[in-house]
């Protein structure tokens, strides 16, 4: 039996829960969970904000641990190896997207906490393709958030061929945004942080921002119109998106990795006349995850974390819900 923490109803308190995982699949691995990050998506799923949650619900998709068992056909992983697991736990491996290396775009890709039990547990399972070996030089306690928040902001850098000479803005200096600043700074970009919290300026600059823009200051926003090749939105709130589109250079892109609650509305002429675009992306493919881990290790990039023990899971979730997390929360056994 696998011991976990589960909510039995929408928004419910997480309580001890056990389940029988059944025989291990031939291409699957079982991970002894050492650490598991808490992501805002865990909260969204807990409250069924996206209408896809099944109860009992076991959150957790930023897992770091050691391989406890492997299926008979597993080739690349070994018992005892330290690994990480993120949002996806499996994909079909046969469709156009999987076969072209874009496994994260597979129409039937399985979420680690969607229709199955996640990593707030002593063990979790996944297909070997989605389980990534952790570099020896990487600290396991802080690595978990890289497998969701980290790859979410790293993937657009690769997908859009962001150049070291590009000027990039990051909206929101939170769980996603602070990692975006670190990655983009190490990439060589001229990085600006947009935040409604003026007291975050010193922290944002320490994380890699060359410039800080108070998004509540209309004059500050006006001063950077036509400035950015890419603006990355990491927030989950509605903003005046036309203001940020105006900050793009010709051929600039406003890219969403944070899930905003309402449809995005803007006039079309600012897009057409300057050939600007609006886009979004999910997490990255297994190959991009490996690339991110290598880059993070080389540049000593790690999330800023707070730790709680697994038996403090409800306290940790409330800490995130109240907006107090600085900047990612990690549960540890």
């Amino acid at each position: 039996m696998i011991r976990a923490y589960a909510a039995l109803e929408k928004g419910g308190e997480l309580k001890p829960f056990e389940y029988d995982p059944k025989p291990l699949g031939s291409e699957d691995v079982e991970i002894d969970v050492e650490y598991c990050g808490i992501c805002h998506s865990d909260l969204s799923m807990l409250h069924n904000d996206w209408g896809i949650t099944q109860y009992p619900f076991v959150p957790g998709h930023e897992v770091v641990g050691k391989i406890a068992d492997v299926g008979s056909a597993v080739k690349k992983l070994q018992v005892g190896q330290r690994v990480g697991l993120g949002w996806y736990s499996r994909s079909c491996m046969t469709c156009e997207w999987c076969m072209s290396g874009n496994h994260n775009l597979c129409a039937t890709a399985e979420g680690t906490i969607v229709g199955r039990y996640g990593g707030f547990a002593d063990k979790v399972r996944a297909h070997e393709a989605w389980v990534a070996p952790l570099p020896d030089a990487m600290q396991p306690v802080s690595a978990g958030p890289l497998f969701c928040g980290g790859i979410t902001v790293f993937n657009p850098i690769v997908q859009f061929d962001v150049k070291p000479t590009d000027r990039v803005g990051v909206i929101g200096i939170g769980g996603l945004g602070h990692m975006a600043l670190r990655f983009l700074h190490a990439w060589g970009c001229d990085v600006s942080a947009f935040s409604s919290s003026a007291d975050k300026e010193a922290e944002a600059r320490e994380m890699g921002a060359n410039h800080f823009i108070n998004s509540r200051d209309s004059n500050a926003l006006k001063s950077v119109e036509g400035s950015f090749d890419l603006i990355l939105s990491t927030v989950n709130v509605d903003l005046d998106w036309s203001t940020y589109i105006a900050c793009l250079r010709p051929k600039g892109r406003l890219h969403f990795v944070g899930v905003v609650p309402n449809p995005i509305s803007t006039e079309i002429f600012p897009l057409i006349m300057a050939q600007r675009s609006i886009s979004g992306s999910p997490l990255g493919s297994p190959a991009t995850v490996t690339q991110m881990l290598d880059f993070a290790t080389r540049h000593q990039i790690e999330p800023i974390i707070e730790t709680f023990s697994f038996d403090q899971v409800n306290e940790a979730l409330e800490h995130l819900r109240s907006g107090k997390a600085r900047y990612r929360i990690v549960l540890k056994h």
Side-chain angles (χ1 to χ4, degrees):
M1 301 293 285
I2 290 180
R3 296 184 297 275
Y5 287 92
L8 303 181
E9 60 187 5
K10 179 179 178 179
E13 181 181 354
L14 269 61
K15 298 178 179 180
F17 172 73
E18 291 189 354
Y19 70 94
D20 182 353
K22 307 302 181 186
L24 187 66
S26 64
E27 296 182 351
D28 293 350
V29 300
E30 183 173 86
I31 304 168
D32 279 336
V33 178
E34 296 177 299
Y35 307 99
C36 190
I38 301 181
C39 176
H40 201 277
S41 298
D42 291 309
L43 276 181
S44 297
M45 288 289 291
L46 175 62
H47 293 278
N48 198 23
D49 291 343
W50 303 330
I52 58 175
T53 308
Q54 298 177 25
Y55 301 91
F57 169 63
V58 178
H61 59 277
E62 296 182 344
V63 174
V64 169
K66 290 184 177 179
I67 299 291
D69 198 6
V70 298
S72 59
V74 169
K75 297 180 177 65
K76 72 166 187 170
L77 299 170
Q78 300 175 349
V79 171
Q81 193 171 10
R82 182 171 276 127
V83 295
L85 172 68
W87 177 260
Y88 294 114
S89 52
R90 150 182 343 265
S91 55
C92 78
M93 310 304 290
T94 58
C95 71
E96 171 189 357
W97 304 106
C98 285
M99 295 299 286
S100 63
N102 295 284
H103 306 69
N104 53 318
L105 303 181
C106 175
T108 59
E110 175 187 80
T112 299
I113 60 172
V114 182
R116 68 193 299 280
Y117 300 133
F120 286 10
D122 60 353
K123 298 178 186 291
V124 69
R125 293 179 172 183
H127 187 274
E128 68 165 328
W130 283 100
V131 176
L134 211 65
D136 291 339
M138 183 168 280
Q139 294 292 329
V141 63
S142 58
L146 291 172
F147 287 89
C148 181
I151 187 59
T152 295
V153 297
F154 185 84
N155 190 44
I157 298 174
V158 174
Q159 297 302 319
F160 301 125
D161 192 24
V162 171
K163 297 175 178 58
T165 52
D166 283 349
R167 297 186 65 185
V168 182
V170 177
I171 304 173
I173 312 307
L176 291 174
H178 89 281
M179 283 187 275
L181 293 180
R182 290 187 160 185
F183 278 127
L184 288 162
H185 175 77
W187 204 261
C189 299
D190 185 66
V191 188
S192 295
F194 290 88
S195 178
S196 60
S197 302
D199 60 349
K200 286 187 177 181
E201 179 170 359
E203 282 182 285
R205 290 184 181 276
E206 287 176 9
M207 294 168 192
N210 303 99
H211 316 281
F212 184 88
I213 301 159
N214 184 341
S215 56
R216 297 184 186 275
D217 183 345
S218 58
N219 290 328
L221 291 169
K222 188 75 175 175
S223 71
V224 292
E225 286 186 356
S227 295
F228 297 97
D229 299 285
L230 172 70
I231 296 178
L232 192 66
S233 174
T234 71
V235 298
N236 59 355
V237 295
D238 294 317
L239 299 175
D240 179 5
W241 302 115
S242 60
T243 296
Y244 292 94
I245 291 169
C247 293
L248 295 172
R249 300 179 65 207
K251 294 190 176 182
R253 178 185 299 269
L254 174 60
H255 187 76
F256 288 85
V257 293
V259 181
V260 297
N262 290 300
I264 297 164
S265 178
T266 184
E267 295 180 356
I268 199 66
F269 267 113
L271 300 181
I272 291 175
M273 298 307 292
Q275 204 173 316
R276 297 162 170 148
S277 59
I278 299 172
S279 56
S281 64
L283 294 82
S285 69
T288 309
V289 170
T290 299
Q291 184 179 0
M292 173 201 66
L293 293 174
D294 289 344
F295 185 80
T297 302
R298 185 180 307 166
H299 293 278
Q300 299 180 315
I301 295 170
E302 59 183 20
I304 297 171
I305 64 164
E306 301 174 88
T307 59
F308 289 75
S309 64
F310 267 85
D311 59 10
Q312 296 175 299
V313 61
N314 290 296
E315 180 184 340
L317 284 167
E318 182 54 37
H319 190 63
L320 176 60
R321 187 183 289 112
S322 64
K324 296 177 181 177
R326 291 295 184 271
Y327 281 91
R328 302 291 287 199
I329 298 171
V330 174
L331 301 175
K332 60 179 181 178
H333 279 296

